[in-house]
């Protein structure tokens, strides 16, 4: 549990909410919600350098919001919709707990 003045927030929830708070990561999730994409495809769509996109994908992966699959030589990412739903459920439980 992470310390916030007066409250304890579960680490997993905090990490996921921080990942969702970044506009670039939200754009990435938006693209990945309709199709699986490689970092280079995301780079072109976002008009960002590949290392920047890779950094954001790593944060999304660490927070459990995307899955990585290796197909041949390519890394392909996809949104984990169940993780998003789990985040909303965890947030709801946290907000209702006293």
């Amino acid at each position: 549990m992470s310390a916030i003045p007066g409250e304890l927030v579960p680490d997993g929830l905090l990490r996921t909410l921080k990942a969702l708070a970044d506009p670039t990561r939200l754009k990435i999730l938006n693209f990945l919600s309709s199709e699986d994409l490689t970092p280079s495809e995301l780079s072109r769509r976002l008009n960002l350098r590949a290392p920047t996109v890779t950094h954001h994908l790593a944060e999304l992966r660490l927070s459990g919001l995307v899955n990585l699959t290796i197909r041949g030589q390519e890394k392909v990412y996809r949104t984990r919709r169940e993780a998003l739903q789990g985040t909303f459920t965890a947030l709801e439980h946290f907000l209702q707990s006293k």
Side-chain angles (χ1 to χ4, degrees):
M1 302 286 252
S2 296
I4 302 264
E7 295 291 329
L8 292 178
V9 180
D11 286 335
L13 177 60
L14 189 60
R15 179 177 204 101
T16 304
L17 292 175
K18 284 182 179 182
L20 290 171
D22 185 280
T24 300
R25 292 182 195 136
L26 286 175
K27 289 177 190 175
I28 289 171
L29 286 174
N30 186 33
F31 284 125
L32 293 177
S33 69
S34 58
E35 62 184 312
D36 299 355
L37 295 168
T38 66
S40 60
E41 291 169 328
L42 285 164
S43 292
R44 283 190 296 275
R45 291 182 187 200
L46 294 164
N47 198 27
L48 292 172
R49 293 182 31 199
T52 302
V53 171
T54 301
H55 165 76
H56 287 296
L57 286 168
E59 288 299 318
L60 289 168
R61 191 166 166 231
L62 286 172
S63 66
L65 294 171
V66 297
N67 274 342
L68 166 64
T69 305
I70 299 184
R71 294 185 190 155
Q73 298 291 332
E74 293 186 314
K75 294 180 178 180
V76 181
Y77 289 85
R78 103 174 5 175
T79 300
R80 291 188 61 229
R81 291 187 180 273
E82 69 278 5
L84 286 170
Q85 186 58 50
T87 298
F88 299 138
T89 301
L91 179 59
E92 185 175 342
H93 285 263
F94 174 74
L95 294 175
Q96 291 177 356
S97 67
K98 291 289 177 182

